[in-house]
Amino acid sequence: MKCRVIAVLGTRPEAIKLALVIHQLRQRSEEFETAVVHTGQHRTMLDNALKLFKIKPDFLLDVMRPNQTLSSLTARVLDTVENACHQFEPNIVLVQGDTTTAFASALAAYYCKVAVGHIEAGLRSGDLYNPFPEEGNRRLASVMTEIHFAPTALSRDNLLAEGVPGGKIVVTGNTVVDTLRALSDLPHSWENTPLAGIPRDDGRLVLVTSHRRESWGSDQENMCLALKDLIQKHPDIRVVYPVHMNPNVRATVNALLQDTDRIHLTEPLGYIDFVSLLRSCFMVLTDSGGIQEEAPTFRKPVLVLRKVTERPEASQFGMARIIGMSREAIVSEADRLLTNTDAYEDMSEGENPYGDGHSSERIVEAVSRWHQRKTPLLDAEKQFKLPPRPQPRRRKSDLEVAAAKTAVAGKE
Ligand code: UD1
Ligand code: UDP
């Protein structure tokens, strides 16, 4: 009997992170019957990604409303995903991450007494309101989950500490690294993209994104003012800021930054365009979860525009810093990287700690073994291991420099 799998996606990052899992499931069609449910929580931003990955949803729901509230969105996802479960009768429902689509779909599956596989499980900031509502969404999803696909050992440990049995957790790495590796070598030009108008001069590009609900209002305003300060201080930089479609984000960003010289606001970028920008930039300022996980692949320093992160691995590796949203902190931290080559190089070393490009394979293999009632879900040696932590670069001390100069002088 084939394993019947529903993979649910609703927002841009879910499509990007589930793309290769869906491809793997479809490739193993002798084993899996797969249906993709698109809740429609996002439309424009998600549909671009689905086109790129050639994923055609089997169930296309239509839950998005302009400026939707969390409760009404949750209710619509719950109702429509439950219907999809009744129609398809899956053995397992795969959800990704911490969005309302992920949480409400897990709840719908639970109400239908269908097993839930939670991809990107076990991330915890430890603060229910940061990020909001994502920290609540992912904790609630964990309670209903049968297989927890934890990206890293740290996320596994978070789950173990909450009492999840070790046999139900598989450490997979983050699937976003699979997607990046699959796509990042494609040739690409900025012509005919929203990036076309940005001069490719010697100016260093600072890539900025932000959309978190807890930052709407004054934090978001501070961030915009900090960007203006930076532009004034550094005549050689350009800020490129693809603005999220959430109207609450757009209102502030457009009001404060539109028509500012060397600040380029664009529409949300297609994934290939975005990755190309990430590759070309000098550094990243972001509150995005996915971008924190992607930037280390290209060794781009990340200043995280949040008070806490549930993805501390990059900062533990010295590749990211959590700087909050105050205008002063943003200016001084960015300034440091723009002016201090040593500080910049320290943050530009190391392997991506979030994944190795094989996460989707691990997930699909574990689902297959679960369906065949095999244990363990995946052998320990096949699970994702963190790469070695980069060593801080050893700089010559003043004494060493003086000694070297004396030695050279002695030879002359
Ligand atoms: C959602 C997720 C967030 C995730 C982010 C990724 C929730 C509660 N939030 O935030 O965790 O980090 O997606 O981008 O699940 N809109 C459009 N077109 C689109 C998408 C959004 O117009 O393609 C507008 C609509 O007015 C919509 C609003 O943005 O009502 C908010 O969308 P919503 O999905 O509720 O929240 P996001 O801020 O996008
Ligand atoms: N992304 C994109 N176009 C953009 C901005 C981001 O394709 O203009 C991609 C980015 O590479 C990452 C994902 O969208 O894979 C992150 O989405 P977002 O920041 O909206 O959500 P989060 O990861 O914070 O949930």
Side-chain angles (χ1 to χ4, degrees), residues 41-42 45 65 67-68 100 134 211-212 244 246:
Q41 179 177 339
H42 284 179
M45 285 166 56
R65 301 289 179 274
N67 210 3
Q68 55 210 2
T100 293
E134 290 81 4
H211 68 278
R212 304 244 78 91
H244 195 280
N246 195 308

Side-chain angles (χ1 to χ4, degrees), residues 208-228 241-257 263 265 285-288 305-307 324-327 330:
V208 180
T209 80
S210 92
H211 68 278
R212 304 244 78 91
R213 273 180 159 72
E214 66 275 10
S215 304
W216 293 350
S218 60
D219 279 351
Q220 183 91 41
E221 284 165 22
N222 289 337
M223 194 266 295
C224 291
L225 296 174
L227 296 178
K228 282 188 155 172
Y241 188 165
V243 187
H244 195 280
M245 288 189 84
N246 195 308
N248 299 283
V249 175
R250 296 207 144 199
T252 310
V253 174
N254 288 338
L256 289 173
L257 297 181
I263 296 188
L265 304 181
L285 272 64
T286 190
D287 64 8
S288 160
L305 302 172
R306 296 201 200 174
K307 296 183 181 82
M325 284 294 259
S326 87
R327 183 171 174 179
I330 296 171

